[in-house]
Amino acid sequence: MNVDDRAWFDDLYNHAQADVYRFVLFRVGSRTVAEDLTAEAFTRAFAARHSFDSALGTPKSWVLGIAHRVMQRHYRDRERQGRAYARHGVRSASDDWSEQVSVDKVTVESAKDHVRMALERLPEHLREVLVLAAHPDIDRSQMSDILGVAEGTVKSRLSRARTRFRAELDVLAGNELTDRG
């Protein structure tokens, strides 16, 4: 395998692009943002292809790790933007979105909203491991590679993440029942 070979990268893109996109989409919830972040991840992967080390994992886990870091940067930038808006007394579009709550009835869309809100309430390190675990083609070893932590750490974080996630869903379901009277 020669990482300088354009065919190597084309093969990586063809085999991993859909998985990277789904991984990012699940986290960000917006197709447009997911497309942009996926493209950025592959652009960075191409630029850094010389740094790929097969002893540290598969090409797919390597590019998923890059996508993970691209998303972290995206969220940091979004937080900075939110603080800047707040300093200047401007409401962002995401403020309006976060205030939308469905109280009419539980539907598939409101269930998705509950899942998304419960995920957002988790600390970043727990959210990351839970999202990776939901991906059917990523095992714990690859999760370890992507997150840059030991496999035992992945297992303990996953256990804590599942417990906290269930608790957050229970809180959200309780709030909906209370809101409906």
Side-chain angles (χ1 to χ4, degrees):
M1 160 181 67
N2 180 4
V3 295
D4 291 324
D5 184 7
R6 174 68 183 211
W8 177 85
F9 190 81
D10 289 345
D11 189 51
L12 169 62
Y13 182 84
N14 291 331
H15 285 93
Q17 187 276 335
D19 290 330
V20 171
Y21 173 76
R22 280 192 301 270
F23 169 63
V24 174
L25 178 61
F26 187 77
R27 283 293 307 280
V28 299
S30 162
R31 289 182 177 168
T32 303
V33 174
E35 289 169 0
D36 290 346
L37 297 179
T38 299
E40 184 176 344
F42 276 99
T43 300
R44 288 174 185 246
F46 184 76
R49 67 190 180 280
H50 303 332
S51 69
F52 172 72
D53 183 353
S54 61
L56 299 176
T58 66
K60 184 173 165 181
S61 64
W62 175 71
V63 76
L64 283 165
I66 293 171
H68 167 74
R69 289 185 294 281
V70 165
M71 284 187 296
Q72 284 179 319
R73 182 173 178 210
H74 167 75
Y75 283 117
R76 277 193 307 270
D77 291 348
R78 201 170 86 179
E79 284 178 29
R80 279 189 214 115
Q81 182 183 40
R83 286 191 304 268
Y85 282 145
R87 276 194 309 271
H88 298 290
V90 177
R91 286 179 53 105
S92 71
S94 63
D95 289 340
D96 295 332
W97 176 85
S98 66
E99 292 174 2
Q100 294 175 356
V101 179
S102 173
V103 294
D104 295 337
K105 60 183 178 177
V106 177
T107 64
V108 171
E109 287 305 312
S110 67
K112 286 180 185 178
D113 289 342
H114 282 163
V115 168
R116 186 162 283 117
M117 286 188 286
L119 280 171
E120 289 299 321
R121 290 179 176 192
L122 294 177
E124 182 70 19
H125 70 284
L126 297 181
R127 183 172 47 238
E128 292 168 343
V129 74
L130 196 59
V131 169
L132 286 171
H135 197 289
D137 296 327
I138 300 176
D139 62 26
R140 287 195 178 115
S141 174
Q142 291 171 316
M143 291 167 63
S144 172
D145 293 340
I146 292 166
L147 297 173
V149 298
E151 199 168 335
T153 302
V154 167
K155 289 178 185 178
S156 63
R157 282 185 186 176
L158 186 55
S159 175
R160 285 194 309 273
R162 286 177 174 151
T163 300
R164 291 271 305 268
F165 182 68
R166 278 187 217 105
E168 292 296 344
L169 283 176
D170 288 345
V171 167
L172 290 168
N175 286 343
E176 182 175 289
L177 291 174
T178 301
D179 291 343
R180 290 194 305 193

